[in-house]
Amino acid sequence: FLPLQGHVVRNWKVRWFVLLQDKLLYYKIEGGKKEPSPKGRILLDGCTITCPCLEYENRPLLIKLKTKTNTDYFLECCSREERDSWALDITGAIHAGHPVQVQELHRMKNSFKLLENISLHDIVEKMYDSSTGIKLTRNLDQGNRYKETFTGSALVDWLISNSFAVSRFEAVTLASMLMDENFIRPVGVRSTEATRSSDPSEKFLDDSTALYMFAESSKKNTSSKEEVHFNISELSGKIVKQGFLVKQGHKRKNWKVRKFVLRADPAFLHYYDPTKEENKPVGGFSLRGCLVSALEDNGVPAGVKGNVQGNLFKIITKNDVHYYIQASSKAERVQWIEAIKPLT
């Protein structure tokens, strides 16, 4: 599953993608089942690929495909790893018989690696630390006042002083990865305009006038301090697994593709609507005391509506709320169940 932007109405729809040797097919999901005929196809002959593509501020994990007829397709992935994997496979199909280009993509992908045993989540957690983390200040830009921001050069200095990077080049690359993964985001004219640069090394600015903030800090329309604290507490855990799954609704019993994010410490499973611009959950629950199990694929289990594809599993919360979820394969279903069980 990948969200795809429409051509006529510029909204986002989740489609099931199948990569063939010369084309990328995409299918519509109806009632929890893939339709037999593709909704559309992207011909890869003469196609160019842009990855990473940062044309949309709220969607940092995009792949852009431009066909030889100059039609643009934007596909969104749910993680940096998934994005790079799709980009590598699509590039291989585009350049079949031209292995030099594929090798170059491999080289670029592996040109910078995090220090061993360090994850982006660990870095962000340390950035939040009240005593040793990045210092947040109020800043003015073009007459606008921004709360809880930090400058590009301040983050570079902090990454080096905390031994996450040994040079300013490495620190800028690492900061760009944090921005790619939507842990931090640019605010103000200077840093926002830099994200549109075609050179990946110039998208994050090592500059004292370029402003950035934690992505969580930019959330709007929260009604109270208690709600902010509650949301941050739920969403502060380390991401264990994430991906697209199909979920049955509680009221209408219809099936929708959702991006699921599994977090530990605290253990929560949240789901997001990938067609929406706002990067905030549309639902979620604590995993403590939950039961998770696979459902048989022969027939439709009790509580499940529609002619579903199969590969179902069920989560029952400690409050006896039943969630029916569909994976894309038996292997993926096993992976999700094995990831959830230790957190219950």
Side-chain angles (χ1 to χ4, degrees):
F1 295 112
L2 295 173
L4 170 73
Q5 188 184 59
H7 291 295
V8 181
V9 180
R10 309 298 283 181
N11 57 353
W12 295 83
K13 299 289 187 183
V14 181
R15 298 290 181 246
W16 174 258
F17 280 83
V18 177
L19 177 62
L20 302 180
Q21 186 173 1
D22 60 344
K23 64 178 74 75
L24 190 59
L25 304 178
Y26 52 93
Y27 296 78
K28 191 176 180 181
I29 301 294
E30 278 294 335
K33 192 172 185 179
K34 176 173 72 69
E35 291 190 341
S37 300
K39 181 77 173 174
R41 65 194 69 215
I42 304 171
L43 299 178
L44 298 178
D45 179 38
C47 207
T48 58
I49 183 171
T50 303
C51 179
C53 171
L54 297 178
E55 291 190 24
Y56 290 87
E57 181 181 327
N58 292 333
R59 295 179 180 270
L61 297 172
L62 288 179
I63 296 170
K64 178 182 178 181
L65 296 175
K66 181 184 282 293
T67 67
K68 65 179 180 181
T69 58
N70 287 324
T71 302
D72 291 339
Y73 291 88
F74 293 93
L75 292 74
E76 185 180 31
C77 299
C78 67
S79 69
R80 181 189 176 94
E81 292 76 20
E82 184 187 50
R83 182 197 65 191
D84 292 347
S85 177
W86 269 103
L88 196 62
D89 290 339
I90 293 171
T91 302
I94 292 173
H95 298 299
H98 301 278
V100 173
Q101 287 94 330
V102 182
Q103 290 172 2
E104 177 66 13
L105 185 63
H106 272 293
R107 187 193 66 77
M108 290 177 64
K109 179 182 173 183
N110 296 318
S111 61
F112 177 80
K113 291 185 178 297
L114 287 173
L115 296 173
E116 196 170 347
N117 298 325
I118 292 293
S119 73
L120 294 178
H121 300 282
D122 294 331
I123 294 172
V124 173
E125 186 177 344
K126 289 181 170 60
M127 286 175 67
Y128 269 111
D129 189 280
S130 57
S131 57
T132 61
I134 190 85
K135 301 303 179 187
L136 303 177
T137 59
R138 293 171 179 261
N139 281 287
L140 285 172
D141 181 272
Q142 301 282 317
N144 295 314
R145 182 182 295 275
Y146 297 99
K147 297 179 181 179
E148 298 186 325
T149 59
F150 47 87
T151 66
S153 57
L155 179 55
V156 169
D157 291 341
W158 184 88
L159 290 168
I160 294 172
S161 65
N162 284 271
S163 302
F164 291 119
V166 297
S167 67
R168 299 196 81 81
F169 171 77
E170 283 192 7
V172 167
T173 306
L174 188 51
S176 299
M177 292 169 69
L178 291 170
M179 195 163 61
D180 276 356
E181 290 296 319
N182 206 30
F183 287 114
I184 64 173
R185 76 176 198 91
V187 290
V189 175
R190 187 156 160 67
S191 56
T192 302
E193 286 184 347
T195 62
R196 302 188 180 98
S197 170
S198 59
D199 186 345
S201 65
E202 296 177 0
K203 292 183 185 300
F204 180 89
L205 298 178
D206 179 7
D207 193 297
S208 61
T209 63
L211 303 181
Y212 300 87
M213 64 164 44
F214 290 114
E216 289 297 325
S217 303
S218 63
K219 292 194 171 182
K220 299 176 181 178
N221 300 325
T222 50
S223 59
S224 67
K225 292 181 178 179
E226 289 74 21
E227 184 180 347
V228 171
H229 178 75
F230 176 73
N231 288 336
I232 291 175
S233 173
E234 277 193 20
L235 301 170
S236 64
K238 180 178 180 180
I239 295 178
V240 175
K241 187 174 177 61
Q242 57 186 329
F244 295 109
L245 298 167
V246 190
K247 173 187 167 293
Q248 180 177 268
H250 289 295
K251 294 180 180 179
R252 295 179 60 191
K253 304 297 182 184
N254 55 349
W255 292 87
K256 296 288 187 182
V257 178
R258 295 291 181 247
K259 175 185 173 182
F260 279 80
V261 179
L262 176 63
R263 293 180 173 88
D265 301 321
F268 274 85
L269 184 62
H270 291 98
Y271 47 95
Y272 300 72
D273 185 344
T275 67
K276 303 297 184 186
E277 293 297 332
E278 290 184 327
N279 185 31
K280 63 180 181 181
V282 294
F285 51 92
S286 170
L287 289 171
R288 295 302 179 196
C290 284
L291 297 174
V292 57
S293 60
L295 298 176
E296 296 297 332
D297 287 340
N298 50 346
V300 179
V304 173
K305 303 292 183 182
N307 186 19
V308 295
Q309 195 93 0
N311 308 312
L312 289 162
F313 63 99
K314 178 171 69 172
I315 301 175
I316 305 175
T317 71
K318 64 180 180 181
N319 297 324
D320 199 34
V321 179
H322 292 226
Y323 289 86
Y324 295 97
I325 302 169
Q326 184 179 176
S328 61
S329 66
K330 285 184 171 62
E332 187 183 42
R333 175 174 66 179
V334 169
Q335 291 169 7
W336 273 98
I337 292 174
E338 289 182 348
I340 291 169
K341 274 187 175 177
L343 302 177
T344 60

